[in-house]
Amino acid sequence: MKYSGFDEYSFREYVNKALISARKVLDVNRNPEVAEDQDHSYDDKFAFAEFLSNTFIAAQMNLLENIGMNQDKIEKIYSMVHDDKRSVMIRFQAEDSCKFEKETIADVIQYDSEHITETVQEKSGILGGTSTKTKKDTQRHKVIQKVKESHWRVNLKYRLFCYAGNEPDKNPVELCSRTVSTIITTTGGKVCPRKEKTIHKFLETPLTWLFQNMKPGKKVWNAGFRIDRTAESCRTPRRNDQIESAFKFCTVINKFAKNVNHFFSQTVENDILGSHNPANPKPMPRNLSSMDNSSVFCPILPLFENKDNLAGTASRGENPRSLLVLPANNINSAESPILSIGDIDLFLNEQCRTIQDSFQSLESAFSSSEEKLISSFEAQIFLILTESSKLTEVYGLCINYIENMLKTQLITAIGKKVTPKDFDQFMRFHNRKLFLEQYCPKPFCYSIRRSEDHSPEGLLSIEATNNADSIDPCFTYVKHIDGENALPIKIPLNAATQVQISGERYLHGWMNHKFENHEPLSYQLTARARQFSSFILMIGTVAGPDTFIPKDAIIIQNKDEILIPILLNELPSAKEFKDSIASLSPEQQRFATAFRGMQLESSVFGVCVVQLKPQMEKLLGLTNDSLTKEIKLTQDLMELFSDYQIPSSLLSFDGNTQEESTRIRLDRVKENVKAVMDAIDAAKKKQLEEGKLRAERESRRAEEEDERVRRAEVRFAMVCEARSAPPPPPRKSQQAMDCFTPQDAFARGGIHSPPQAKQIFSASAERESRRAEEELGRAKEEWNRCADRRSSRPQNMVLCAARSAPPPQPMMVCAARSAPPPPSRKIQQAMDCFTPQDAFARGGIHSPPQAKQIFSASTRNDAANDTAETQENNHMDYADTQTITDGTIDFSMIPKQLDQIFETHDTDGSIRSTILETGINWIQIRQPDLLSNSKRSILNESGRKDGKNKAFDLLDALSRSGALPISCAELHIIVAVTHRFENDLMGTVIQDNINPIEKVEKSILMIASMIHQERSATNLLSTTDHRDRLVNSFPELLHLEN
């Protein structure tokens, strides 16, 4: 359960000890038992909670009495609370100081030993005898160290008092105080063990609740705790405002008591007294932590007793010992199994007696000296505060035991712990009895077929998938709308094409209930096709009375199975939305309202199924059922329409449709299909041969181009290498220099000296280098042109050229950097996939340049689709139209009207409109061929987009780009809501005291009446008993027509 805090082991241990103590106090004939073992009513549990709370208050006052509380102080504090209307606080203040007193020298014995020596002497007597004499010498050695001791005067002052409001110095009510001084001795130098003065942080907690639940009596004060069962917040004996306030008081008083005890045990005992370190230490006295409070009796007992065998005291004694007692009217009746007030007086008196006995034991264990920081007085305060903490813990155990008792009894009555799955099964069973047969929720599982006379083409269902062993269909409240009486639905395929469909409509209301701390169910939309069957599945939203905007689409055929995860995104409830915008500005409210209206309208989920065979018959001019048994013809038509995108005019029957028979029409279509298939095969062969020739030519050209570039690179590399060394002269110049001598200088011209000849040769080398660079530049330009042609070449041709070419050199990479940018991604993908084998598959009669134009047109078509999707996503209609328009249901307005109903009748704010969306990864189960097994694959975003494009292309072909309506289609409109509970199932019943069946009944009546367009939900109910019961339960929702 959501709120859990019951420790059954600790409770059982305490009850066993309490029974032993209770039997000592009561008569020997009494036999009280644990509450669950006695017969009692639900009202007795409320009285029991009040009984335990009043006992707790009386026991706490007994503890306060032992630390200074008395009748006068109670009257004064009671007046602060009830007359002055002030809160009352109890505060603990303390301070200490340390001052040097004196310094002394102490003798510390370091070594102490004793040595005994015996001496024996013998003497001869006169008569010849001898006598012995023993002498003992004792020597004692002692080593004494002189240690300097510092003596410090430590003063401790504390007080415990109550005050009103925030004025602790104005008329405080002091409970106890003490000022004490003692000497602390330290060694090791004159170092102060404490600060000169320390004012400790005060500790305080409110006592207001304790005195609010007290009433003055004739002789003593009475505990006045009562549970207001008429309050709306009162759920159970444990879950109500009064018990919650008591638990808050227990929390703060428990913390206060432990903090004060921590001051005495840690600050005083460990820190202050722990610094006492004399040269000759003495045994430490008993400390506070070793105290045992088990001897103090706890009067809070979760016991019942059968009043038929009651032989105890039913009335109060004359002189109760406690300051505060239980009121006489706390026990409701003589039949109540709760213990009597006389018994409680005995228990409270026993508490007082055991406290006094414990005090006497503490006086003997702790010194009562005025110079002891921890004396018997501090020990008594420590005991009282420890017992106060114990009382709060026992009280919490006993109150939580009442709730645990409810849980145990409910599980015993049902025989098991009910789970959300059990609740869901019960609601299915209950709804079959609650509603008339035509209004009962039905499983969302539909066969895809033309009519009852035809076999199903496939199956469409929404299923819960958390349990792998069993998959349960979801149940919805469904209204069937005849397609003949409904307007056609428009489906935009792109910005230029809009298809009209007609057929059966189904309006579904899906109620999903959800409990806290429970893993929500996962749902999936499942679509299956049978062998040699096909249909198109579209998923999207309904944007008006006649518009369906598909977000995803896919062709399902030949035993394909698609599993589409469905995500449930809950919107805030109508009550939460209203409360959230209450403090916003008018502009902010209008913005939030408009945006919520868009969210509600977009929550209408749509699933459209288009059957292909009937539309093909209509498109090709065939009669109904012509393709039912034509399996091969149907498969060929699917291939031509979806793969090759052949226009329907090349395949359809062109004769007089009224005079020609079915067989003639069918034969004519077969002939057309065969002619187109033959043309496709011929074109494939021709383009395959042409493709091979083009590949060979391109391969040779690529080799030549690569050879030219390679030669230019080698030449340029040689020139670059020559630049790093003295430039070599050209070949002819080098030969001339080799044979040059001074003797034949004049013979060769005689006009140049050797230095002048070298300058001529260097100039010639530079001209040769520039010529090589120019040639390399031309090679680069040629390489760029080659790269451009290579990018436009079909992929297989490029591969052939690449196989025959050597690996690229570094300089080739440099040249490639200057190449123009590649084509766009979508056109490049189309070119990469282009081969001679599939040339005709993309048109068959086009050359490669024409194919590029086709692919560019395809890219523009994709852009148009993206534009349509953008228009869909940006769709927001602010007009508040009516649900019924000219006899046609505006499905997009149903969530908005449901939201208005929820705002009026859902006072808990637990019903939330829910947006259905498809998940990211779809699962596709496909059998590649008849001889292989089915394979499971994941359809990611890219795969879904490809499937959507293929489905839209097929719809475009079957409808002649929107000119031919599609008549054989089904549209399922789903409006989903979620009833969310704040607790888990058992916690909702036990802790919140809510019957989830009634809450869900109210929710389903609201959604069922809206789905079935019934003015009164009573018209949906099966029997008058259900009508009367629900009218009494929900009179504001249900009304009977006259």
Side-chain angles (χ1 to χ4, degrees):
M1 293 186 289
K2 183 177 180 180
Y3 318 101
S4 58
F6 180 67
D7 186 355
E8 187 168 1
Y9 176 80
S10 300
F11 175 79
R12 297 297 175 185
E13 185 179 15
Y14 166 73
V15 167
N16 293 334
K17 296 179 181 179
L19 281 173
I20 297 174
S21 301
R23 291 191 175 99
K24 293 179 181 178
V25 176
L26 300 176
D27 295 339
V28 68
N29 296 325
R30 304 291 296 279
N31 186 28
E33 297 178 329
V34 185
E36 63 185 10
D37 295 335
Q38 283 289 336
D39 295 336
H40 60 277
S41 64
Y42 186 66
D43 292 338
D44 291 334
K45 288 184 172 65
F46 276 95
F48 189 42
E50 295 174 350
F51 164 78
L52 294 174
S53 301
N54 284 314
T55 305
F56 168 72
I57 295 172
Q60 286 286 0
M61 290 303 300
N62 284 345
L63 297 178
L64 290 175
E65 180 185 10
N66 286 276
I67 55 174
M69 188 67 71
N70 53 37
Q71 291 283 356
D72 296 336
K73 295 177 181 179
I74 291 177
E75 291 179 0
K76 190 174 181 180
I77 298 175
Y78 183 84
S79 177
M80 294 177 183
V81 174
H82 291 273
D83 298 339
D84 301 338
K85 307 298 181 182
R86 304 290 299 275
S87 61
V88 174
M89 307 292 291
I90 182 172
R91 174 179 287 192
F92 177 81
Q93 285 182 343
E95 63 180 51
D96 67 82
S97 61
C98 183
K99 186 177 180 181
F100 179 75
E101 186 77 8
K102 62 181 179 179
E103 190 174 67
T104 60
I105 302 298
D107 295 336
V108 179
I109 300 175
Q110 299 291 331
Y111 179 76
D112 188 2
S113 65
E114 187 176 289
H115 182 68
I116 301 174
T117 304
E118 293 185 359
T119 305
V120 180
Q121 296 180 355
E122 294 184 358
K123 291 184 180 181
S124 300
I126 300 175
L127 300 177
T130 62
S131 62
T132 61
K133 184 179 180 180
T134 303
K135 183 179 179 181
K136 292 184 177 182
D137 294 333
T138 302
Q139 296 179 352
R140 190 166 187 176
H141 300 275
K142 182 182 294 186
V143 178
I144 298 176
Q145 181 183 5
K146 299 295 184 177
V147 178
K148 188 179 293 187
E149 292 182 332
S150 300
H151 297 266
W152 308 86
R153 172 70 61 180
V154 177
N155 299 314
L156 176 64
K157 181 181 179 181
Y158 63 86
R159 62 191 290 237
L160 187 65
F161 63 96
C162 298
Y163 66 93
N166 57 350
E167 301 172 332
D169 299 329
K170 183 179 180 180
N171 300 324
V173 179
E174 188 169 296
L175 300 181
C176 62
S177 63
R178 187 170 183 240
T179 302
V180 61
S181 177
T182 190
I183 297 295
I184 291 178
T185 304
T186 61
T187 58
K190 191 178 178 180
V191 180
C192 185
R194 299 281 297 173
K195 293 182 180 180
E196 184 175 351
K197 186 174 182 180
T198 302
I199 299 177
H200 299 276
K201 183 180 179 180
F202 61 83
L203 305 172
E204 66 179 10
T205 192
L207 283 181
T208 309
W209 179 86
L210 192 65
F211 286 89
Q212 284 177 339
N213 290 278
M214 293 173 53
K215 294 181 180 179
K218 295 181 179 180
K219 296 182 180 181
V220 293
W221 291 83
N222 294 326
F225 180 87
R226 299 284 294 181
I227 297 176
D228 185 8
R229 299 186 62 180
T230 61
E232 186 178 356
S233 58
C234 180
R235 302 291 185 182
T236 65
R238 167 63 182 88
R239 306 295 167 182
N240 54 78
D241 292 342
Q242 289 72 33
I243 292 294
E244 293 297 335
S245 299
F247 269 63
K248 290 179 181 178
F249 173 77
C250 288
T251 301
V252 297
I253 199 67
N254 185 26
K255 183 179 180 180
F256 173 78
K258 289 183 177 180
N259 288 338
V260 175
N261 278 352
H262 183 270
F263 172 80
F264 285 115
S265 62
Q266 298 296 323
T267 304
V268 177
E269 199 168 52
N270 287 356
D271 297 345
I272 299 178
L273 296 180
S275 62
H276 179 66
N277 184 27
N280 297 308
K282 297 179 180 180
M284 292 294 296
R286 182 180 176 185
N287 56 19
L288 295 175
S289 301
S290 62
M291 289 176 51
D292 182 17
N293 67 330
S294 59
S295 59
V296 178
F297 181 79
C298 181
I300 304 176
L301 302 175
L303 304 178
F304 278 175
E305 188 175 17
N306 189 351
K307 291 299 181 69
D308 295 338
N309 301 327
L310 186 61
T313 304
S315 59
R316 171 168 293 117
E318 295 183 359
N319 296 315
R321 298 179 60 178
S322 60
L323 283 176
L324 187 142
V325 296
L326 269 67
N329 59 354
N330 183 256
I331 310 303
N332 293 331
S333 62
E335 291 77 15
S336 175
I338 300 176
L339 299 179
S340 63
I341 57 174
D343 296 334
I344 300 306
D345 287 344
L346 293 177
F347 293 153
L348 293 174
N349 292 341
E350 179 66 14
Q351 181 194 22
C352 295
R353 186 191 67 80
T354 54
I355 289 175
Q356 294 302 319
D357 292 345
S358 298
F359 280 2
Q360 293 178 5
S361 301
L362 293 176
E363 289 177 357
S364 61
F366 291 86
S367 174
S368 58
S369 173
E370 294 296 332
E371 295 186 355
K372 294 290 185 181
L373 295 185
I374 300 297
S375 65
S376 59
F377 185 73
E378 284 74 25
Q380 292 173 4
I381 296 177
F382 191 89
L383 175 68
I384 293 301
L385 295 178
T386 303
E387 186 63 22
S388 178
S389 296
K390 178 183 175 182
L391 279 178
T392 60
E393 295 171 0
V394 171
Y395 173 71
L397 275 177
C398 294
I399 293 296
N400 287 327
Y401 166 69
I402 299 176
E403 187 170 85
N404 185 74
M405 186 164 48
L406 289 170
K407 176 183 175 182
T408 304
Q409 291 173 343
L410 183 63
I411 293 176
T412 303
I414 298 177
K416 62 177 296 186
K417 183 178 179 179
V418 183
T419 63
K421 183 178 180 180
D422 299 327
F423 180 77
D424 185 64
Q425 292 177 351
F426 170 80
M427 289 308 301
R428 294 182 185 179
F429 167 79
H430 180 66
N431 289 335
R432 287 196 296 267
K433 299 174 60 179
L434 180 64
F435 292 99
L436 293 171
E437 183 177 0
Q438 62 270 29
Y439 300 126
C440 285
K442 297 176 176 57
F444 192 101
C445 186
Y446 294 87
S447 297
I448 301 172
R449 65 170 80 198
R450 287 195 189 184
S451 65
E452 298 295 332
D453 299 332
H454 293 78
S455 297
E457 300 282 325
L459 184 69
L460 181 69
S461 65
I462 297 180
E463 303 163 342
T465 61
N466 275 33
N467 190 354
D469 298 333
S470 61
I471 298 179
D472 300 326
C474 297
F475 283 74
T476 62
Y477 302 88
V478 56
K479 177 181 178 63
H480 175 240
I481 303 172
D482 193 352
E484 297 179 357
N485 301 326
L487 289 177
I489 296 292
K490 301 174 184 177
I491 301 178
L493 299 184
N494 50 50
T497 305
Q498 186 172 261
V499 177
Q500 285 191 354
I501 66 169
S502 60
E504 304 300 317
R505 315 281 166 79
Y506 297 90
L507 177 60
H508 300 267
W510 185 7
M511 167 61 69
N512 181 38
H513 40 76
K514 190 175 183 181
F515 293 93
E516 193 68 22
N517 298 330
H518 176 72
E519 183 181 359
L521 294 176
S522 299
Y523 300 95
Q524 68 180 18
L525 177 66
T526 302
R528 304 180 183 91
R530 295 195 175 187
Q531 187 66 51
F532 305 125
S533 299
S534 58
F535 57 88
I536 295 178
L537 176 68
M538 291 182 288
I539 302 172
T541 57
V542 178
D546 60 347
T547 305
F548 173 70
I549 302 178
K551 294 183 178 179
D552 294 290
I554 192 170
I555 302 173
I556 304 176
Q557 59 182 339
N558 297 332
K559 297 181 67 174
D560 286 352
E561 184 174 1
I562 301 296
L563 308 179
I564 305 172
I566 295 180
L567 308 179
L568 282 68
N569 300 323
E570 301 174 12
L571 298 177
S573 66
K575 183 177 183 299
E576 292 173 342
F577 176 77
K578 184 178 179 180
D579 295 342
S580 298
I581 67 172
S583 58
L584 298 179
S585 67
E587 292 78 11
Q588 294 168 345
Q589 289 182 358
R590 290 196 297 270
F591 171 78
T593 302
F595 199 84
R596 181 174 176 84
M598 182 273 296
Q599 289 178 314
L600 291 173
E601 291 186 29
S602 63
S603 66
V604 182
F605 189 72
V607 180
C608 182
V609 177
V610 177
Q611 299 185 39
L612 300 181
K613 288 182 181 179
Q615 187 64 20
M616 287 182 185
E617 294 169 354
K618 184 177 180 181
L619 177 67
L620 300 175
L622 300 176
T623 59
N624 291 335
D625 293 339
S626 296
L627 296 178
T628 301
K629 298 180 181 180
E630 296 293 335
I631 297 176
K632 185 178 184 307
L633 178 59
T634 304
Q635 297 294 320
D636 292 341
L637 288 171
M638 285 288 297
E639 183 179 1
L640 293 175
F641 283 136
S642 60
D643 294 343
Y644 301 112
Q645 299 181 6
I646 300 300
S648 59
S649 58
L650 299 179
L651 306 173
S652 61
F653 171 71
D654 298 330
N656 190 344
T657 57
Q658 296 181 356
E659 296 180 359
E660 302 292 345
S661 64
T662 301
R663 176 51 56 187
I664 294 176
R665 297 194 198 103
L666 194 60
D667 292 341
R668 191 71 57 81
V669 170
K670 287 182 179 180
E671 293 174 359
N672 296 338
V673 169
K674 186 177 183 304
V676 173
M677 295 294 287
D678 292 342
I680 290 175
D681 294 337
K684 284 181 179 181
K685 293 179 181 179
K686 180 179 178 181
Q687 292 198 1
L688 181 59
E689 295 175 357
E690 293 177 353
K692 289 180 179 179
L693 295 176
R694 286 196 298 271
E696 292 176 359
R697 289 196 299 270
E698 290 294 332
S699 178
R700 287 194 296 270
R701 289 182 58 191
E703 291 177 1
E704 295 173 357
E705 292 165 0
D706 293 344
E707 182 64 25
R708 289 184 59 192
V709 172
R710 188 164 55 253
R711 287 197 301 269
E713 288 175 350
V714 171
R715 189 167 186 177
F716 185 74
M718 293 173 63
V719 172
C720 293
E721 184 179 359
R723 284 185 176 181
S724 61
R731 184 174 58 83
K732 293 182 179 181
S733 300
Q734 183 64 42
Q735 293 175 357
M737 290 184 68
D738 290 341
C739 36
F740 178 84
T741 60
Q743 289 77 8
D744 60 359
F746 193 81
R748 295 181 179 272
I751 58 174
H752 300 297
S753 62
Q756 292 173 329
K758 290 184 179 180
Q759 293 177 1
I760 294 172
F761 298 151
S762 299
S764 177
E766 289 178 0
R767 287 195 300 273
E768 191 73 17
S769 176
R770 284 196 299 270
R771 198 162 44 245
E773 290 179 357
E774 292 174 359
E775 187 174 352
L776 181 59
R778 289 192 296 272
K780 286 182 180 180
E781 294 177 359
E782 184 66 22
W783 170 260
N784 292 339
R785 289 194 298 271
C786 294
D788 191 13
R789 288 194 297 271
R790 191 172 296 176
S791 63
S792 63
R793 228 183 298 163
Q795 185 178 9
N796 60 345
M797 299 181 185
V798 176
L799 292 176
C800 294
R803 289 194 186 101
S804 60
Q809 301 296 327
M811 297 303 297
M812 295 172 65
V813 177
C814 298
R817 289 179 179 173
S818 61
S824 62
R825 181 178 61 85
K826 189 167 291 188
I827 298 177
Q828 183 64 44
Q829 290 177 353
M831 294 177 180
D832 292 343
C833 299
F834 182 86
T835 60
Q837 289 81 355
D838 63 354
F840 196 84
R842 298 183 180 273
I845 58 176
H846 304 294
S847 61
Q850 292 171 323
K852 291 184 181 180
Q853 297 176 1
I854 295 174
F855 299 148
S856 301
S858 176
T859 305
R860 291 193 299 271
N861 191 22
D862 291 339
N865 290 340
D866 295 340
T867 303
E869 292 181 4
T870 304
Q871 293 174 355
E872 167 205 336
N873 294 332
N874 294 334
H875 172 75
M876 182 184 294
D877 186 9
Y878 291 96
D880 188 10
T881 59
Q882 299 296 324
T883 302
I884 305 299
T885 306
D886 299 333
T888 301
I889 300 178
D890 187 356
F891 303 110
S892 63
M893 299 304 298
I894 291 179
K896 187 175 290 187
Q897 291 203 351
L898 273 176
D899 199 59
Q900 296 175 357
I901 296 175
F902 296 154
E903 181 180 351
T904 303
H905 300 290
D906 180 27
T907 56
D908 300 331
S910 56
I911 306 177
R912 293 170 168 82
S913 296
T914 304
I915 299 177
L916 301 182
E917 295 179 347
T918 57
I920 298 177
N921 293 324
W922 297 7
I923 298 177
Q924 183 180 43
I925 303 174
R926 169 167 290 182
Q927 187 178 10
D929 52 68
L930 296 176
L931 300 179
S932 60
N933 296 326
S934 299
K935 295 182 180 179
R936 179 183 292 255
S937 60
I938 300 296
L939 280 179
N940 53 18
E941 184 177 359
S942 176
R944 296 201 314 273
K945 187 173 183 180
D946 293 341
K948 178 180 178 181
N949 292 335
K950 291 180 180 179
F952 277 14
D953 290 342
L954 182 57
L955 281 175
D956 184 79
L958 295 179
S959 63
R960 295 197 191 112
S961 297
L964 182 66
I966 298 175
S967 58
C968 197
E970 291 181 4
L971 179 60
H972 296 267
I973 302 99
I974 306 172
V975 179
V977 295
T978 301
H979 192 127
R980 177 185 283 274
F981 293 92
E982 296 181 355
N983 207 336
D984 59 16
L985 180 56
M986 295 299 291
T988 300
V989 178
I990 297 167
Q991 296 177 333
D992 300 336
N993 196 32
I994 292 176
N995 182 2
I997 299 175
E998 294 178 352
K999 292 293 183 179
V1000 174
E1001 277 182 336
K1002 185 177 180 180
S1003 303
I1004 62 179
L1005 287 175
M1006 287 187 279
I1007 189 171
S1009 60
M1010 177 58 68
I1011 294 299
H1012 293 289
Q1013 298 293 311
E1014 288 289 345
R1015 181 172 177 270
S1016 175
T1018 55
N1019 298 331
L1020 310 177
L1021 304 178
S1022 59
T1023 63
T1024 56
D1025 293 338
H1026 289 309
R1027 294 190 184 96
D1028 296 339
R1029 176 178 63 83
L1030 294 177
V1031 166
N1032 293 331
S1033 300
F1034 318 120
E1036 75 285 354
L1037 176 63
L1038 303 177
H1039 60 275
L1040 294 175
E1041 298 181 2
N1042 296 329

